[in-house]
């Protein structure tokens, strides 16, 4: 059918843009509330040495789920501390607790409302279906625009993803209360609130708690996804391990998540009927827990000094002492961390996330003329779309200009000599790449943007294909990282190879798998190896197992970037 495409995506973008502007104050309020609550929980959980919290959790699990699981909890948490993931575990626990708190606060009332009104249930049910089936990654996109990069959008996305079971199970539990009991309460003249709180909710409690349990488990499953927008914790450790092909670190962080999941699952499953309630009543345990929280909060109040960071009105205070970064495993992030140490920027934090999240945060700040510092590299379309500048790097921490190299698997020259020749002769300038990147950033499909550039530059592509043997449908698998530079270059060279008769597949992966795929022969080539600094660790790890065809682009640059309106010029100005 020759029908024009319905601009649904454009409508959604316009709607989100309107919401972002219209409710900016409300989003700022929610951000401050969630940040404050999260910081409080993290600080309370961090009071004293780790062994204190480990013992408390072990005793709580013992009380609810018997002593064998209590011993398991003690040994498991000691293992986490020994492996060096205790701080990440605290952050993950805090994220799950905050998500769970809002799930209970909002989910149970909505579930009650659904149980009391068929109309509300008919409206809410398809919304819940949408929330449960929509990929969790999608929630991160508007969350970044509404709440900025960091832990808040991760918590919001986790809450949206996890709230459905609480609403559904609360609704189900109340509806399953026997009608005879409802009729009896009506016969005794109970009011609606008395009937709800004295009859329906007590009988529905087991079902409601099952829903809360499932919501907490779903929130925990989101910790890795939330790390894409800067949420700290075990999810970021797993993400970093994946991007670096660090099997050991990935197993350790993953095991820590499993341990936390088991502990939270057993506590929430058995909290209504604890194993040792016959020895100590729940009221006593709840009173002790409340007292511990109050004491911890008081300790924090008295322990906090009145120290104020120097230059409270400077760039640090204006940006919350944060540098907005990209993927945890990127070489640029390693350089940025080294820069914070080299320049003794002890007050500053490098926020991990993703390149897309970084650009979204930059765009938001730029439109509002707010100060922001990001990790940047060129070529990148953001330098064409925004008026930006690199901060001077007197210590040369980020190194000089880099090249982007083409790397292919061993044996490609024999299997597909024409493709090998084209990849070997592929070379263009930063301005060429930026032309493609700008089109993609403006909404053009990457494949169509590549075709547009190829049609406009036949003389350049002719140099790449000169003397190359035409293909005969041979498969070529190009791997790339979802950076704007690599999306542009991989689509362009992929289209050129297709025009020469090759069956090209583009596979998006993380940096580590990109190098590993070429080295083990599961992928044929990549055109996104940043050398000699950004990807040096990966290059050295696999350099004996692939063929380096040399640069396809020269003159790149890494560093810390700010908008021109920000009144600093050097990394030293951040002190």
């Amino acid at each position: 059918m020759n029908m024009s495409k319905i601009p649904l995506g454009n409508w959604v973008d316009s709607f989100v843009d309107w919401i972002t502007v219209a409710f900016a104050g409300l989003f700022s309020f929610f951000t401050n509330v969630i940040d404050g609550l999260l910081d409080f929980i993290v600080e309370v959980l961090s009071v004293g040495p780790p062994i204190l919290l480990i013992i408390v959790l072990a005793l709580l699990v013992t009380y609810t789920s018997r002593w064998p699981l209590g011993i398991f909890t003690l040994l498991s948490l000691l293992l986490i501390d020994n492996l060096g993931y205790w701080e990440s575990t605290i952050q993950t626990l805090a994220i799950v607790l905050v998500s769970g708190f809002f799930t209970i606060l909002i989910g149970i009332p909505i579930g009650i409302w659904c149980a009391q009104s068929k109309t509300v249930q008919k409206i809410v049910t398809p919304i819940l279906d949408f929330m449960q089936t929509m990929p969790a990654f999608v929630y991160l996109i508007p969350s970044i625009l509404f709440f900025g990069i960091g832990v808040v959008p991760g918590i919001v996305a986790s809450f949206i993803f996890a709230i459905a079971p609480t609403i559904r199970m609360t609704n189900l539990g109340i509806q399953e209360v026997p009608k005879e009991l409802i009729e009896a309460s009506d016969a005794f003249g109970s009011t609606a609130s008395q009937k709800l709180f004295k009859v329906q909710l007590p009988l529905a409690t087991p079902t409601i708690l099952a829903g809360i349990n499932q919501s907490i488990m779903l929130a925990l499953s989101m910790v890795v996804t939330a790390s894409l927008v800067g949420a700290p914790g075990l999810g970021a450790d797993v993400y970093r391990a994946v991007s670096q092909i660090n099997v050991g670190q990935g197993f350790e962080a993953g095991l820590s998540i499993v341990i936390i999941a088991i502990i939270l699952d057993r506590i929430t499953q058995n909290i209504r009927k604890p194993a040792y309630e016959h020895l100590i009543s729940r009221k006593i345990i709840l009173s002790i827990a409340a007292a511990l929280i109050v004491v911890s909060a008081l300790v924090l109040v008295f322990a906090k000094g009145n120290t104020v960071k120097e230059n409270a009105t400077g760039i640090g205070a204006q940006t919350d002492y944060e540098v907005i970064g990209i993927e945890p495993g990127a070489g640029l992030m390693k350089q940025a961390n080294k820069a914070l140490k080299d320049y003794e920027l002890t007050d500053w934090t490098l926020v991990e996330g993703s390149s897309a999240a970084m650009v979204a945060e930059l765009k938001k700040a730029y439109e509002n003329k707010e100060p922001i510092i990001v990790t940047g590299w060129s070529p990148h379309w953001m330098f064409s779309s925004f008026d930006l500048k690199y901060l001077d790097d007197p210590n040369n921490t980020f190194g000089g200009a880099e090249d982007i190299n083409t790397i292919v698997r061993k044996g490609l020259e024999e299997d597909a000599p024409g493709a090998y020749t084209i990849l070997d002769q592929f070379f263009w300038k930063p301005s060429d790449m930026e032309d493609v990147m700008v089109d993609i950033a403006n909404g053009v499909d990457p494949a169509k943007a590549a075709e547009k550039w190829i049609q406009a530059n036949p003389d350049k592509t002719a140099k790449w294909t000169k003397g190359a043997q035409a293909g005969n449908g041979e498969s070529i698998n190009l791997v790339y990282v979802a950076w704007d530079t690599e999306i542009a270059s991989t689509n362009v060279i992929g289209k050129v190879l297709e025009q020469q008769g090759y069956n090209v597949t583009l596979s998006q992966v993380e940096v580590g798998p990109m190098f590993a795929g070429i080295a083990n022969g599961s992928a044929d080539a990549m055109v996104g190896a940043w050398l000699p600094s950004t990807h040096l660790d990966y290059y050295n790890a696999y350099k004996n197992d692939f063929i380096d065809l040399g640069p396809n682009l020269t003159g790149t640059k890494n560093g810390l970037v700010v908008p021109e309106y920000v009144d600093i010029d050097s990394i030293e100005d951040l002190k």
Side-chain angles (χ1 to χ4, degrees), residues 144-389:
I144 296 170
L145 299 176
F146 296 157
F147 302 101
I149 196 171
V151 71
V152 176
I155 290 177
V156 171
S158 299
F159 160 75
I160 295 173
F161 182 69
I163 194 174
T166 297
I167 297 175
R168 290 187 189 275
M169 298 298 277
T170 300
N171 177 29
L172 178 64
I174 293 176
Q175 288 187 347
E176 287 185 338
V177 174
K179 293 182 179 180
E180 294 81 3
L181 294 178
I182 301 298
E183 292 172 355
S185 67
D186 289 335
F188 281 101
S190 300
T191 63
S193 60
Q194 287 175 329
K195 182 168 58 179
L196 175 64
F197 289 103
K198 300 289 186 179
V199 179
Q200 292 174 311
L201 285 181
L203 293 173
T205 297
T207 306
I208 294 173
L209 287 176
I212 292 173
N213 172 270
Q214 291 304 304
S215 291
I216 291 175
M217 292 300 101
L218 287 175
L220 185 59
S221 72
M222 278 286 290
V223 297
V224 177
T225 303
S227 68
L228 296 174
V229 292
L234 295 170
D237 293 323
V238 171
Y239 184 28
R240 188 179 300 109
V242 170
S243 63
Q244 296 176 344
I245 310 293
N246 191 329
V247 179
Q249 180 182 335
F251 179 81
E252 291 174 351
L255 179 63
S256 300
I257 293 176
V258 171
I259 291 170
I260 297 303
I262 292 173
I263 293 171
L264 292 177
D265 178 65
R266 299 304 185 271
I267 290 176
T268 52
Q269 273 191 11
N270 302 314
I271 191 67
R272 184 170 178 266
K273 292 184 177 180
Y276 296 111
E277 188 177 15
H278 61 286
L279 298 177
I280 307 176
S281 70
R282 279 188 302 165
K283 290 184 179 180
I284 295 177
I285 295 299
L286 291 175
S287 299
I288 293 174
L292 288 175
I293 294 173
V294 171
V295 170
S296 299
L298 291 175
V299 170
L300 290 173
V301 171
F302 288 109
K304 278 187 175 181
N306 296 320
T307 57
V308 179
K309 291 178 179 178
E310 295 181 5
N311 195 15
T313 60
I315 185 64
Q318 295 173 30
T319 59
D320 293 327
Y321 290 88
E322 291 182 343
V323 175
I324 308 302
I326 55 173
E327 292 80 2
L332 177 58
M333 293 292 281
K334 183 178 179 180
Q335 292 175 329
N337 267 313
K338 187 173 184 298
L340 296 185
K341 294 178 181 178
D342 289 350
Y343 289 92
E344 299 179 353
L345 303 176
T346 55
D347 291 335
W348 288 79
T349 301
L350 179 62
V351 179
E352 297 177 335
S354 64
S355 54
M358 180 272 290
V359 172
E361 189 74 356
L362 172 62
K363 181 180 179 182
K364 181 179 178 182
Y366 193 89
E367 290 174 349
N368 296 316
K369 296 298 180 183
E370 296 173 347
I372 186 172
I373 304 168
V374 302
T375 54
W377 64 94
S378 53
H380 194 288
W381 64 265
M382 64 184 181
F383 288 93
S384 299
S385 300
F386 309 123
D387 193 8
L388 307 174
K389 63 182 178 182

Side-chain angles (χ1 to χ4, degrees), residues 45 61 83 92 123 241 283 301 309 314 325 329 542 551 570:
L45 294 177
V61 172
L83 295 175
T92 297
I123 295 173
K283 290 184 179 180
V301 171
K309 291 178 179 178
Y542 299 103
S570 172

Side-chain angles (χ1 to χ4, degrees), residues 86-119:
W86 184 251
E87 183 177 347
S88 295
T89 298
I90 292 295
Q91 293 169 331
T92 297
L93 273 173
I95 292 172
V96 173
L97 290 175
V98 172
S99 299
F101 170 75
F102 285 109
T103 295
I104 295 170
L105 184 67
I106 298 174
I108 291 180
I110 294 177
I112 294 172
W113 195 14
C114 290
Q116 294 178 339
S117 172
K118 293 294 184 183
T119 302

